[in-house]
Amino acid sequence: MPVTSHIFTTAIRNGEIRKFGTSAFQSHNRNLCCSLPPHSLKTLHALLKTSSSTTLGSGSSIKDNPPWYIKKHSYRTTSQQYYNLTRPQVNSILKANEYRFKVPEFDGKNVSSILGFDSSQLAANVPIEDRRSVATCLQTRGMLFGVFDGHAGCACAQAVCERLFYYIAVSLLPHKTLLEVENAVENGRAVLPILQWHKHPNDYFSKEASKLYFSSLRTYWQELIDLNTGVQPDTQEALINAFKRLDNDISLEAQVGDPNYFLNYWVLQVAFSGSTACVAHIDGADIQVANTGDSRAVLGVQEEDGSWTAVTLSNDHNAQNEDEMKRIRSQHPKNEEKTVVKQDRLLGLLMPFRAFGDVKFKWSIELQKMVLESGPDQLNENEHTKFIPPNYHTPPYLTAKPEVIHHRLRPQDKFLVLGTDGLWETMHRQEVVRVVGEYLTGVHLQQPISVGGYKVTLGQMQGLLMERKARSSSVFEDQNAATHLIRHAVGNNEFGVVDHERLCKMLSLPEELARMYRDDITIIVVQFNSHVIGAQSNPGGGE
């Protein structure tokens, strides 16, 4: 379990962004999140030696010490090869990256509308390309929740999950507080932290880049000070500004480069890979969801009869969204109408139509060539940087600007699910809300069995009843709603119940095959305090 005592590191005179927040843990995992090329400098050798593999909780390398559930480079089809996982082994895999946090009912300022949250991750890629972040805003009200789905590597998702919440928090600070922060930094004084992080011990912070990240963040708040209009930006505006500014800084850092070989390679990795982001800012009864890409936020609403309804608080930015298709086509000449989106992908290559990084879809061809020619040789070995996208005439084709949706919480709004597309590819939003709702309320055992229109025999019905019995025990196995949802996303059969044999097959696939059958899955389930929300919705009506 994570260390629950808070570690306050208020001094920032060394210019490290990590010290600008507090944390509910202190991680000792030093391994990098992404693969890096070998380098001749002895000071980097030990670091890079382990960077191409994921790590276990103890920090040991999976590639050096493969666990029982990964059978490498073997494709024998016998069911005995991979599928003989016991229930404790299955639970061990599913619970490896789960995290739970209970929000204090009263923080000294306000009664919280949030009871707490559960989060969990299941990797398909090695290393996992998804990221997650949760933090409390200490100088303003509210909490931030985010899931980030990386592509072409994990570098961009890693950078965004570390940095975006700082940009949002700074964007929300009043001018007076920004001045106090800048004066303290300028004079080398300690500064009160603006974020309290709630992270799993295995979640990584790139300490090596912290000074660079802090420098960019400081430049941002200095510009906010200079541009002061006397009007405090609303939350929607702050979210949009933070997304756009971070993406701009990611691009600028890659263009400027760094004399440090490692940092130079890292900022280029971040810029040439990409990441979607779905972030919720929850302040009292107000939710603002800022979404860039195809991760999703879905609200779980309990109706008067006890049934569950899903309310989507984000729109997918891909070819299935007609408004997004119109937006993309409207931003480019008429003669590109048939090429800007091909085979439901941006320029025939990229599924999400909005993302951080991905400078291959934003920079001019001349700028790309200049940066690649001056960058490390290893960068050109990355397949993602080798080619110019086809029909690349009028960049940028991609933006990180989020779409922001506001919702005022009601007493019947019980929870919010944030999930990367690995979840929504396997489960419909209504099914997601039902599974979480029934897990939180425990009423699923009393519901009639539904076979979804299938004709079943008596033997199959007996099997379904046995599955229900097994499911009742699996609920008690899961102490985390996000883990319980992943269990269903990976193991559900055609009747909507978890099939242990299917679950074993999916969890025991070797890393070379896992990505062909499923994607990384990252989930955060935020549970609301209905009594507090009811009082906030009707402040004159008493409790």
Side-chain angles (χ1 to χ4, degrees), residues 264-525:
N264 192 37
Y265 183 81
W266 176 249
V267 297
L268 289 169
Q269 280 272 75
V270 171
F272 277 92
S273 58
S275 178
T276 68
C278 187
V279 172
H281 178 269
I282 303 176
D283 179 5
D286 289 301
I287 296 183
Q288 300 269 6
V289 175
N291 186 52
T292 289
D294 52 10
S295 294
R296 194 177 295 173
V298 173
L299 191 68
V301 181
Q302 189 169 33
E303 305 295 347
E304 291 185 2
D305 62 359
S307 63
W308 293 95
T309 300
V311 176
T312 306
L313 296 184
S314 63
N315 294 312
D316 295 348
H317 300 133
N318 54 30
Q320 279 65 56
N321 184 335
E322 291 185 8
D323 290 337
E324 194 69 1
M325 288 284 288
K326 292 177 182 177
R327 181 189 68 81
I328 289 284
R329 286 174 172 157
S330 69
Q331 294 176 351
H332 300 276
K334 189 73 174 178
N335 60 3
E336 292 189 58
E337 185 174 352
K338 294 183 178 179
T339 59
V340 67
V341 177
K342 293 186 67 176
Q343 298 178 327
D344 289 344
R345 293 172 180 260
L346 187 66
L347 297 178
L349 297 172
L350 193 63
M351 291 271 309
F353 289 175
R354 304 192 194 194
F356 284 90
D358 281 320
V359 294
K360 294 289 290 185
F361 298 88
K362 297 173 180 176
W363 290 355
S364 68
I365 294 175
E366 293 73 24
L367 179 57
Q368 292 186 42
K369 289 181 177 178
M370 182 185 72
V371 171
L372 289 172
E373 288 172 359
S374 61
D377 292 338
Q378 287 86 352
L379 193 69
N380 291 295
E381 297 173 6
N382 186 332
E383 292 184 3
H384 188 61
T385 65
K386 284 182 179 179
F387 61 92
I388 301 297
N391 302 298
Y392 196 80
H393 307 299
T394 56
Y397 290 89
L398 193 64
T399 180
K401 181 181 178 181
E403 183 179 13
V404 182
I405 293 178
H406 171 261
H407 177 79
R408 182 77 177 173
L409 285 172
R410 308 158 297 173
Q412 62 265 38
D413 299 332
K414 301 301 183 181
F415 58 86
L416 178 73
V417 178
L418 295 173
T420 55
D421 66 345
L423 169 65
W424 313 109
E425 287 171 355
T426 59
M427 295 182 70
H428 188 273
R429 62 181 181 274
Q430 185 62 41
E431 181 71 0
V432 166
V433 165
R434 182 191 66 80
V435 168
V436 174
E438 291 178 356
Y439 169 82
L440 294 175
T441 59
V443 302
H444 57 282
L445 300 179
Q446 288 76 45
Q447 297 296 319
I449 288 180
S450 172
V451 296
Y454 289 90
K455 294 181 179 179
V456 297
T457 65
L458 287 176
Q460 289 171 325
M461 181 59 71
Q462 183 182 16
L464 289 174
L465 291 171
M466 294 299 292
E467 283 289 348
R468 164 167 285 191
K469 183 177 180 180
R471 181 163 55 149
S472 67
S473 63
S474 76
V475 170
F476 296 108
E477 289 175 344
D478 294 327
Q479 302 301 315
N480 184 296
T483 300
H484 187 68
L485 191 50
I486 290 177
R487 186 187 299 273
H488 278 262
V490 177
N492 265 9
N493 61 17
E494 64 271 25
F495 300 115
V497 297
V498 176
D499 183 323
H500 180 70
E501 182 178 354
R502 173 182 171 80
L503 194 57
C504 288
K505 290 178 181 179
M506 295 298 288
L507 293 179
S508 58
L509 288 170
E511 62 184 62
E512 297 90 343
L513 292 180
R515 185 62 184 87
M516 299 172 62
Y517 289 88
R518 58 181 175 85
D519 198 358
D520 298 332
I521 300 176
T522 297
I523 299 170
I524 299 174
V525 178

Side-chain angles (χ1 to χ4, degrees), residues 18 30 113 165 171 245 298 343 392 474 526 530:
R18 185 65 183 89
R30 304 285 185 191
S113 61
F165 286 9
S171 300
R245 178 55 183 244
V298 173
Q343 298 178 327
Y392 196 80
S474 76
V526 185
S530 299

Side-chain angles (χ1 to χ4, degrees), residues 99-120:
Y99 182 78
R100 163 170 278 196
F101 182 78
K102 182 179 180 181
V103 175
E105 185 174 353
F106 182 70
D107 63 2
K109 299 178 183 178
N110 308 287
V111 179
S112 178
S113 61
I114 301 172
L115 290 174
F117 73 88
D118 293 351
S119 73
S120 195

